[in-house]
Amino acid sequence: LFGLHDMHGTIWEWVADWYERDYYAHTPESDPPGPATGSRRVLRGGGWSSGAAMCRSALRGHNTLNARHDYNGCRVALSI
């Protein structure tokens, strides 16, 4: 699906979006850009320590920028 493979459950992946608790209640439904600033970044996908129900890309977690855990990371991607 979508040409993506092995995207769920490995690590919580840091994304560029800033976190705001009720952000999606007042944004466009298609590809919202995220808040302009914040103190926490969004994490997605669930990690090896997450239950099966949490291992999905639509799940949105968050943490401070200085948070260090063995279940948070990033994915290197290249456009073809």
Side-chain angles (χ1 to χ4, degrees):
L1 186 63
F2 306 120
L4 304 173
H5 305 278
D6 302 322
M7 295 294 293
H8 303 109
T10 310
I11 57 170
W12 281 94
E13 296 180 23
W14 289 105
V15 298
D17 292 354
W18 290 106
Y19 176 78
E20 183 181 305
R21 185 172 47 151
D22 62 347
Y23 181 71
Y24 287 121
H26 54 83
T27 62
E29 286 186 26
S30 179
D31 198 18
T37 63
S39 61
R40 301 174 81 77
R41 290 277 189 183
V42 173
L43 291 152
R44 291 208 180 260
W48 59 266
S49 63
S50 305
M54 296 181 72
C55 293
R56 56 192 190 93
S57 58
L59 186 68
R60 185 175 65 124
H62 56 91
N63 216 326
T64 59
L65 297 179
N66 62 351
R68 302 291 181 260
H69 301 287
D70 58 358
Y71 47 81
N72 291 352
C74 61
R75 179 177 303 273
V76 178
L78 175 69
S79 296
I80 297 177

